[in-house]
Every structure is written in structure tokens, then in C-alpha cells.
């Protein structure tokens, strides 16, 4: 009698890992940004910075094409990236959080580089593994 949980189907596992990858990118972005501010509770600081971008990423994930092909650069990666960025900035503006020009540029570049970047890396690793 085994007590092992059944393995997730490959598609579900890929989707869960892709979603986790995007969440990690947003949290790292927020944590790095908060690292420049001294705070009594860094976890609350990171979450207060991250939530608008997480909501935006979730909006990108709401698109059926993202859920069908979560590791694709286009349209999935671009949808999640621009959702996180645009909706995140709109929510920041609506809640009175800062929108300094340098922050706008850094956020666009960081989120784009890493939300798209992990997908490129995953594609390369799949190709390498497929050759073996």
C-alpha cells in the first residue's frame, strides 16, 4: 500500500510552475525595490508593493491563451508582462503610490526581462533535454 500522491498531469504541472514563475518574478521585483527602503516589517512592505502587479499578472493569466500555452512568449508572456505592468501602474496611481519616471522605466524593463526571460530559458532547457 503506497501513500504517494498521484503525479499531476504534465499540462497542469506546467501551468502551476508557469504561474509560480510569474509570481516569483513580481515578488522579487517588489523585494528588490523595497530593499532600498528601511522598513520595520519587510514582508508587509514587499506585499504592499507587489499586490498591484500581482493583480495585473492575474489579469494576464485570465486570458484563455495564457492558460492554454503558459510558457509561450507570445501571447502568454507578453500578456502577463503588460498586464502586470499596465494594471499594476494604474492600481498604484489609484491608491496614491508613487509613479516616478525612473520607477516606471525600471518596472517595465525588470518585469519584461524576467517574465519573458524565464520563458526563454524554459524553452532552451526543453530543447536541450529533447536532444538527449
Amino acid at each position: 500500500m503506497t501513500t504517494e500522491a498521484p503525479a499531476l498531469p504534465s499540462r497542469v504541472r506546467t501551468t502551476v510552475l508557469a504561474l509560480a514563475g510569474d509570481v516569483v518574478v513580481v515578488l522579487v521585483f517588489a523585494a528588490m525595490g523595497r530593499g532600498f527602503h528601511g522598513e520595520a516589517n519587510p514582508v508587509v512592505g514587499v506585499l504592499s508593493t507587489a499586490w498591484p502587479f500581482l493583480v495585473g499578472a492575474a489579469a494576464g493569466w485570465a486570458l484563455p491563451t495564457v492558460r492554454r500555452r503558459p510558457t509561450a512568449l507570445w501571447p502568454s508572456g507578453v500578456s502577463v508582462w503588460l498586464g502586470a505592468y499596465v494594471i499594476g501602474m494604474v492600481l498604484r496611481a489609484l491608491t496614491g503610490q508613487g509613479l516616478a519616471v525612473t520607477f516606471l522605466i525600471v518596472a517595465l524593463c525588470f518585469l519584461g526581462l524576467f517574465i519573458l526571460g524565464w520563458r526563454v530559458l524554459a524553452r532552451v532547457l526543453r530543447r536541450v533535454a529533447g536532444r538527449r
Side-chain angles (χ1 to χ4, degrees), residues 14-15 18 22 61 64-81 115-123 126:
T14 298
T15 300
D22 290 334
W61 270 89
T65 56
V66 175
R67 291 189 311 277
R68 273 194 303 271
R69 296 184 51 227
T71 61
L73 283 176
W74 176 259
S76 301
V78 172
S79 297
V80 174
W81 167 36
I115 287 174
L116 299 177
W118 78 253
R119 285 173 167 84
V120 169
L121 182 60
R123 176 173 284 180
R126 268 196 309 264

Side-chain angles (χ1 to χ4, degrees), residues 8-120:
L8 289 175
S10 176
R11 184 176 177 144
V12 172
R13 186 176 59 245
T14 298
T15 300
V16 168
L17 289 173
L19 179 59
D22 290 334
V23 168
V24 166
V25 167
V26 171
L27 291 175
V28 167
F29 166 68
M32 289 178 68
R34 298 312 303 183
F36 295 110
H37 306 282
E39 293 180 314
N41 188 336
V43 173
V44 172
V46 168
L47 293 176
S48 71
T49 299
W51 79 262
F53 301 103
L54 290 170
V55 170
W61 270 89
L63 298 172
T65 56
V66 175
R67 291 189 311 277
R68 273 194 303 271
R69 296 184 51 227
T71 61
L73 283 176
W74 176 259
S76 301
V78 172
S79 297
V80 174
W81 167 36
L82 294 179
Y85 179 76
V86 172
I87 293 172
M89 291 305 176
V90 168
L91 290 173
R92 283 181 63 85
L94 291 174
T95 58
Q97 296 183 45
L99 293 177
V101 173
T102 53
F103 179 71
L104 295 171
I105 294 167
V106 168
L108 180 69
C109 294
F110 184 97
L111 293 171
L113 178 65
F114 289 96
I115 287 174
L116 299 177
W118 78 253
R119 285 173 167 84
V120 169

